[in-house]
């Protein structure tokens, strides 16, 4: 269980040769599979998260700590990234395997130049709910172009409203006001309803919970509080740093009484709550204390074209090789279906004192 992990090996590169062989064999198998794939635990493939860059302009202490992601950190060279054409092609193939929701993420997705061009390509694929998660730093500048390109909604990450806490968490001294301006610009551009994601880490920002709830009450935006997760291995996660969803709900309910709300759909990650007085909604994402693996229908496409079937996977399946070696869409579809059919991931449901030590890839690489 306790593999020694070099801290700079955040991508687990070079590891998955057996998985790559599996991908090729599946792609070479005869004829397209007739039915949509279901994994070994009966879960369909419904959501695709696409990481468009492994770079970020923040160094959030729980995600890309500066001592690992310093000046010399070897981010991917541009030639290794999937091009927009490659991403759009893979996304189209995923749609034919049942995907209906695509989220662009990263790293910081708005750092990828001309992202709106990719948004336009994905929006034109048809029946897909297209959204994006951003730290908001560049949103004021980009919201209108993203909306014009066909984006419908955004999620903005914001972990505190008081400047000292926010600056300490992003660790690049970025002021909270600029993120709030980004949220306003997104609203003005019609990218609503906006979801606000706040990761809560004990000792860092649990005092931000109630002010965040208070600030966004009446705004039409939906705040979702996220339990701090043991993603990757660079953030030094410990169970005692987790503020549980139950604690978060209790803290808010002391000031603003809450009642549970029904999930919108099976597989929704956030547990929904409503304010008793005005009926508005908040969410808590209890990935640590109440695992939701049973309904997990998400695949992740890394910046360099590997498919990960779990946020906590230790390796991914290389689809870029198939794209660049002229495999057909049907063949790549076969490979995706075969990958999904063998999926058995349920890391959070099995999480134990030892699992944080397993070799996992980083969130900034495969996307949150
Ligand atoms: N840079 C963008 C952002 O921050 O919104 C998109 C990528 S980020 C990896 C996606 C989401 O993952 C963010 O909402 C972030 O707060 C969350 N996240 C990152 N590390 C996390 C951790 N260890 N536990 C829980 N959530 C985490
Ligand atoms: Fe960057 Fe998002 Fe990670 Fe923060 S959470 S370091 S903004 S990728
Ligand atoms: Fe899905 Fe893996 Fe998270 Fe479970 S641990 S909910 S399988 S991503």
């Amino acid at each position: 269980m306790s593999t020694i992990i070099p801290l700079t090996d955040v991508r687990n590169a070079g590891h998955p040769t057996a998985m790559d062989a599996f991908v090729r064999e599946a792609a070479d198998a005869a004829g397209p599979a007739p039915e949509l794939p279901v994994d070994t635990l009966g879960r369909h493939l419904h959501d695709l998260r696409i990481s468009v860059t492994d770079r970020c302009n923040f160094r959030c202490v729980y995600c890309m700590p500066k001592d690992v992601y310093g000046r010399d950190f070897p981010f991917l060279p541009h030639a290794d990234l999937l091009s927009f054409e490659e991403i759009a092609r893979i996304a189209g193939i995923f749609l034919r395997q049942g995907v209906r929701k695509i989220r662009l993420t990263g790293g910081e997705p708005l750092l990828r130049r001309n992202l709106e061009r990719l948004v336009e390509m994905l929006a034109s694929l048809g029946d897909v709910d297209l959204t994006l998660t951003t730290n908001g730093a560049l949103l004021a500048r980009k919201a209108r172009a993203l909306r014009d390109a066909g984006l419908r909604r955004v999620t903005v990450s914001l972990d505190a409203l008081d400047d000292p806490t926010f600056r300490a968490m992003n660790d690049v001294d970025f002021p909270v006001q600029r993120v709030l301006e980004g949220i306003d610009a997104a609203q003005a551009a019609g990218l609503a309803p906006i979801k606000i994601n706040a990761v809560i880490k004990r000792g860092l920002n649990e005092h931000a919970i109630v002010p965040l709830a208070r600030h966004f009450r009446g705004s039409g935006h939906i705040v979702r509080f996220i339990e701090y997760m043991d993603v990757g291995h660079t953030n030094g996660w410990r169970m005692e740093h987790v503020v549980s969803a139950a604690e978060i709900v209790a803290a808010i309910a002391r000031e603003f009484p809450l009642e549970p709300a029904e999930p919108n759909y099976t597989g929704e990650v956030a547990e929904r709550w409503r304010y008793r007085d005005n009926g508005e909604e908040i969410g808590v994402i209890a990935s640590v204390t109440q695992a939701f693996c049973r309904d997990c229908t998400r695949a992740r496409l890394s910046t360099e074209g590997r498919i990960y079937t779990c946020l906590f996977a230790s390796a991914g399946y290389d689809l870029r090789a198939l794209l660049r070696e002229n495999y057909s869409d049907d063949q790549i579809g076969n490979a995706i279906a075969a990958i999904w059919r063998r999926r058995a991931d349920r890391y959070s449901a099995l999480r134990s004192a030892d699992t944080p030590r397993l070799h996992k890839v980083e969130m900034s690489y495969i996307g949150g």
Side-chain angles (χ1 to χ4, degrees):
M1 285 290 181
S2 53
T3 327
I4 306 284
I5 303 152
L7 276 184
T8 49
D9 183 9
V10 302
R11 291 186 285 272
N12 205 6
H15 176 70
T17 48
M19 292 163 83
D20 293 347
F22 174 83
V23 169
R24 281 168 196 280
E25 275 164 33
D28 287 334
E35 283 158 9
L36 294 179
V38 179
D39 77 5
T40 63
L41 300 175
R43 300 169 296 191
H44 287 88
L45 172 55
H46 184 266
D47 316 64
L48 179 63
R49 298 195 173 183
I50 302 176
S51 172
V52 295
T53 176
D54 59 338
R55 292 165 196 259
C56 190
N57 45 357
F58 284 10
R59 286 293 176 273
C60 301
V61 291
Y62 54 78
C63 180
M64 294 179 78
K66 260 185 187 163
D67 53 347
V68 176
Y69 295 88
R71 273 184 206 289
D72 300 330
F73 185 81
F75 288 105
L76 290 168
H78 198 262
D80 282 359
L81 270 52
L82 291 185
S83 68
F84 289 167
E85 286 70 22
E86 288 171 328
I87 293 174
R89 183 174 166 212
I90 291 199
I93 300 171
F94 265 97
L95 293 196
R96 290 193 282 285
Q97 296 298 333
V99 162
R100 287 293 167 269
K101 184 168 176 186
I102 293 180
R103 177 176 296 279
L104 297 177
T105 176
E108 172 46 41
L110 299 189
L111 287 184
R112 181 88 185 244
R113 214 169 294 156
N114 300 323
L115 188 74
E116 51 280 11
R117 200 163 67 77
L118 176 65
V119 166
E120 201 170 347
M121 291 161 86
L122 295 175
S124 72
L125 291 175
D127 184 15
V128 60
D129 177 14
L130 181 61
T131 179
L132 172 146
T133 304
T134 173
N135 61 25
L138 300 172
L139 193 54
R141 228 186 289 163
K142 302 248 181 182
R144 174 61 61 185
L146 291 167
R147 176 73 172 97
D148 291 346
L151 193 71
R152 291 285 164 268
R153 295 183 292 112
V154 282
T155 298
V156 181
S157 302
L158 178 60
D159 302 324
L161 284 168
D162 68 285
D163 225 30
T165 306
F166 186 66
R167 287 176 194 253
M169 287 187 82
N170 64 52
D171 211 12
V172 293
D173 213 23
F174 197 86
V176 75
Q177 184 54 34
R178 300 231 335 248
V179 178
L180 295 174
E181 285 163 14
I183 294 170
D184 289 347
Q187 183 173 26
L191 291 167
I194 298 166
K195 289 183 181 154
I196 312 288
N197 273 2
V199 174
I200 306 300
K201 182 176 177 195
R202 195 177 306 283
L204 206 54
N205 68 332
E206 65 264 55
H207 61 276
I209 298 170
V210 175
L212 277 164
R214 190 183 299 128
H215 180 85
F216 288 107
R217 260 169 65 90
S219 69
H221 310 326
I222 302 168
V223 190
R224 296 157 4 131
F225 297 91
I226 306 177
E227 289 180 352
Y228 172 48
M229 289 188 283
D230 48 330
V231 205
H233 52 80
T234 58
N235 64 9
W237 183 90
R238 294 210 311 271
M239 189 66 201
E240 56 265 36
H241 293 151
V242 178
V243 180
S244 72
E247 282 177 81
I248 294 168
V249 169
I252 298 169
R254 272 195 290 278
E255 187 158 334
F256 307 109
L258 290 165
E259 60 193 14
E262 287 303 306
N264 282 318
Y265 56 89
T266 313
E268 187 173 34
V269 293
E271 182 185 297
R272 299 169 63 222
W273 291 81
R274 254 181 226 301
Y275 293 116
R276 280 181 195 263
D277 59 353
N278 67 6
E280 280 184 345
E281 194 186 306
I282 61 157
V284 281
I285 303 184
S287 11
V288 178
T289 61
Q290 295 164 53
F292 38 76
C293 300
R294 207 181 46 183
D295 295 325
C296 178
T297 53
R298 286 179 294 285
R300 292 177 158 85
L301 179 65
S302 78
T303 316
E304 56 181 344
R306 286 184 183 277
I307 289 293
Y308 290 81
T309 54
C310 177
L311 183 53
F312 299 92
S314 57
Y317 298 85
D318 184 14
L319 289 189
R320 189 186 62 190
L322 303 188
L323 287 172
R324 295 190 179 174
E325 289 171 28
N326 297 322
Y327 279 77
S328 69
D329 284 12
D330 280 348
Q331 286 177 305
I332 297 174
N334 282 347
I336 291 170
I339 290 166
W340 195 258
R341 287 201 179 92
R342 80 194 310 225
R343 177 182 190 244
D345 303 286
R346 51 190 192 108
Y347 175 91
S348 286
L350 302 173
R351 185 183 274 107
S352 69
D354 241 358
T355 45
R357 295 153 63 94
L358 295 176
H359 194 169
K360 297 163 289 175
V361 289
E362 297 293 319
M363 186 98 143
S364 55
Y365 165 63
I366 59 170

